[in-house]
Amino acid sequence: MQAAVIIGLFGLVILASLLVAPRRATIGGFFSGAGVDGRAPGLWVLVLSQVTTWIFARSLMNSAILGYFYGIWGTLAYAAYYGSFLTGGYIVGRLRAGGAGSVQDWLGARFGATGNACYNLVIGLRLLSEVFANLLVVGLIFAAVLPEVGVAREAAILIVAALGLAYSAWGGLSAALRTDVLQMVVFLGVFAAAFVALVVSPGFQIGAVLTAPGTAGAWNGQVLLVVALLQVFSYPAHDPVMMDRGFLADPATTRKSFLHAFWISTLCIIGFGFFGIQAGLIGAEYEGELIGTWAGMFPAWLFIALLVSLLISALSTLDSALASAARLVVDELKIGSRSLMAGRGAMVVFMALGTLLTLWGNQTLFDAVAVSGTASMFLSPVLVVGLVMGRQIALWSYLVAFGAAIAGAVTYFARSADWAVALLPEGHKYEQLLVICVAVLAVGFAAVLSGARRA
């Protein structure tokens, strides 16, 4: 019964998304998000689109899982990544003031094709991780609610991938913006009902939640908070979904959209983390990325509301990731002409690769954030010294910073390998991640400052 209701509600959201997607696709709308009349998106379209593409299913699950294990510190650590709206808005403002139309514009003017190739590699991997992680949550949900159906996970992933690709490939970025608004409004309604039900439930105490150490203790949550603060300047710059939306409207509208997106998304992430913290407080056993845990904790309607909100957020991120993939391939990599066919071809490739990664069997949600966040850290010294301080940076310095960041990301991802064990200190994986981040920043800033000169 629960599965039927979840499928029915999610099906209605998909149908509504197909209905609000633009009926006529244009080149400007597909790649730049312009409306049928050629106008740029308004303030609240940008705000809701920014929020719904950043509080995606993986993030909601991560916040709840970190809250379960590390209490309020785990949830705050993940919420700290949403300071990216403040740092991202600042970076966009500086780029636009200097006449750049994208991060690639700025990097290309200083480091040529080599500089852009390094950056595009990182954001290509980021987009693949977006597709992979959100489809993974879809699979986890349907495997949990349809345990008697052996292929429920694989079937759900394939169906959602096909439907998400269908309306994304039709309208591109303009479709993503329009459906984001619908999906965000529905998400906020569903999530608000679930959150109120949690807060008024007999066993909920706000004081206990705000001081909860989690089932594994607060220390590693505190370590992860430091990691997030180290990554929060570079993190938004490697997220093409956020950066693409920074160049669609006029500067004043864009600046306001980043500020509103910051507080709305941060509150949503912390609120969703409460569900994980509460599960830890009442002593619920961790089961199936918390999905099985919630099934035993909450009444059926609340459990359904939580899962539907996760599915909606997954869908809303998939279309935006595909729209950014199309722009990356066609506008930045210059593969194919600037046509609907080329953009749709790029979407198909990214969705296919992301789906294959998901079906491959990897179940790790936070590692995708940690790896891509570490890989992006080469941008911190480059942007601080080059964009903020206005210095010219030698290409070799840029490449050393890039190499250090990629080495750090690979080391964290392969931390169980013999060679990585020999390099890393003993300790929890988040303590190892903190050491890696400090080393990456130290090498990156040393190289960039050594190769910097006044413009």
Side-chain angles (χ1 to χ4, degrees), residues 295-445:
M297 280 177 57
F298 301 124
W301 78 266
L302 179 53
F303 178 63
I304 290 170
L306 284 172
L307 297 194
V308 170
S309 64
L310 284 169
L311 290 169
I312 293 170
S313 63
L315 184 67
S316 68
T317 304
L318 286 172
D319 58 19
S320 294
L322 293 178
S324 289
R327 203 192 76 79
L328 169 67
V329 171
V330 175
D331 282 354
E332 302 299 342
L333 298 180
K334 308 295 183 186
I335 299 176
S337 60
R338 199 171 196 264
S339 64
L340 296 178
M341 181 175 292
R344 289 165 178 165
M347 288 182 170
V348 170
V349 170
F350 271 80
M351 181 62 93
L353 291 174
T355 302
L356 288 174
L357 283 173
T358 312
L359 296 175
W360 184 32
N362 191 314
Q363 300 283 317
T364 305
L365 281 173
F366 182 73
D367 276 3
V369 178
V371 170
S372 70
T374 305
S376 76
M377 292 182 77
F378 77 98
L379 291 167
S380 283
V382 172
L383 291 173
V384 168
V385 177
L387 184 64
V388 179
M389 298 172 60
R391 302 290 183 87
Q392 291 291 335
I393 301 170
L395 178 59
W396 71 264
S397 300
Y398 176 89
L399 293 176
V400 169
F402 173 76
I406 296 300
V410 170
T411 302
Y412 180 75
F413 185 75
R415 60 189 175 275
S416 59
D418 291 341
W419 64 267
V421 171
L423 289 174
L424 295 172
E426 290 186 13
H428 189 272
K429 62 180 181 180
Y430 296 156
E431 294 173 326
Q432 294 176 332
L433 179 60
L434 177 58
V435 170
I436 291 170
C437 290
V438 170
V440 167
L441 285 177
V443 173
F445 271 103

Side-chain angles (χ1 to χ4, degrees), residues 227-248:
V227 170
L229 294 175
L230 290 177
Q231 293 185 351
V232 76
F233 188 77
S234 60
Y235 200 86
H238 95 298
D239 182 78
V241 173
M242 179 185 284
M243 289 294 101
D244 286 353
R245 282 157 177 73
F247 297 89
L248 301 180

